[in-house]
Amino acid sequence: MRTPVIMLLSLLSLSTFAEVDLDKGAAKYQECAACHGDQAQGNAELKAPALSHLQPVYIVRQLQNFATGVRTGVTGSPAWQMAQAVIGWTDISDKRSVAVAIAEFGPQQQKQTLVGSAENGRKNYNNLCAGCHGKNAEGKNVLHAPALAGSQDWYLLAQIKHFQSGTRGSHNNDQLGAQMQAMSNLLDDESLLDVI
């Protein structure tokens, strides 16, 4: 029984890979580069996060969430602007191609802008975050949990605050966001800075 399952998984992987056109994804990414940077390194002034450290499966899910109204933000916010930017992005192969093109850039070093105690934060991270996001914040595809290592600290803070306030993760079709809401509310402001 094991061999047919392995063969099926291999075929599914190949069919997904066949839908990816790296050249098309790189060309489509040019629509994103004005905000997210030519190497997907992010832009703090525009509140556009780095993307180059994220797993393609997570990028595809977020593009889906933006395109379908699951993730919108308040009018004028960066999330709202992102949702407006992907209106009409209905082809899943385009999203996959862009996500794989972004992964080609590879993670980039980010500057620390926040102050906290890594020693104090490590315990909370291990207890609250590592189960989904990985021991080294590398993310876990099987749980659809993004890599956190490689994110800008200001972006992590903003997103956790959005989860805490209910601005993010409240849509009925965002079960993973709802989980993040619950987890984020276990941290006070000081603990949050320490974890980040």
Side-chain angles (χ1 to χ4, degrees):
M1 184 68 173
R2 184 176 174 169
T3 302
V5 170
I6 292 171
M7 288 175 57
L8 177 61
L9 290 173
S10 297
L11 289 173
L12 288 173
S13 297
L14 288 174
S15 68
T16 299
F17 182 74
E19 294 180 31
V20 172
D21 180 333
L22 195 54
D23 291 334
K24 186 177 180 182
K28 192 143 184 81
Y29 177 75
Q30 293 311 305
E31 297 175 34
C32 314
C35 294
H36 292 283
D38 62 343
Q39 298 290 304
Q41 73 273 19
N43 184 329
E45 289 180 21
L46 298 177
K47 297 183 180 174
L51 304 173
S52 58
H53 66 289
L54 295 169
Q55 311 95 298
V57 67
Y58 180 76
I59 292 173
V60 170
R61 190 174 92 242
Q62 292 310 306
L63 286 171
Q64 284 287 93
N65 285 348
F66 283 121
T68 60
V70 171
R71 187 171 173 195
T72 57
V74 297
T75 302
S77 70
W80 179 85
Q81 292 170 354
M82 184 62 202
Q84 300 306 301
V86 297
I87 288 174
W89 283 38
T90 57
D91 188 340
I92 191 67
S93 67
D94 282 352
K95 294 176 186 124
R96 289 178 177 149
S97 296
V98 168
V100 172
I102 290 169
E104 291 287 306
F105 295 127
Q108 303 182 22
Q109 192 70 22
Q110 301 295 336
K111 287 194 284 185
Q112 182 176 341
T113 64
L114 303 175
V115 177
S117 168
E119 185 177 333
N120 292 339
R122 192 168 289 111
K123 180 179 178 184
N124 276 328
Y125 179 84
N126 288 335
N127 289 335
L128 300 174
C129 313
C132 292
H133 293 282
K135 182 179 178 186
N136 296 307
E138 71 276 14
K140 291 186 180 180
N141 283 343
V142 70
L143 298 176
H144 293 270
L148 302 175
S151 293
Q152 296 104 327
D153 54 6
W154 58 265
Y155 182 74
L156 290 174
L157 179 63
Q159 294 311 300
I160 294 175
K161 289 292 189 181
H162 290 318
F163 283 119
Q164 288 177 336
S165 72
T167 306
R168 184 170 175 193
S170 293
H171 192 281
N172 288 339
N173 293 330
D174 192 5
Q175 292 81 17
L176 297 174
Q179 291 174 2
M180 270 303 301
Q181 276 188 354
M183 295 307 290
S184 66
N185 282 305
L186 298 174
L187 295 169
D188 61 26
D189 287 348
E190 183 179 353
S191 298
L192 176 55
L193 287 174
D194 291 345
V195 167
I196 292 171

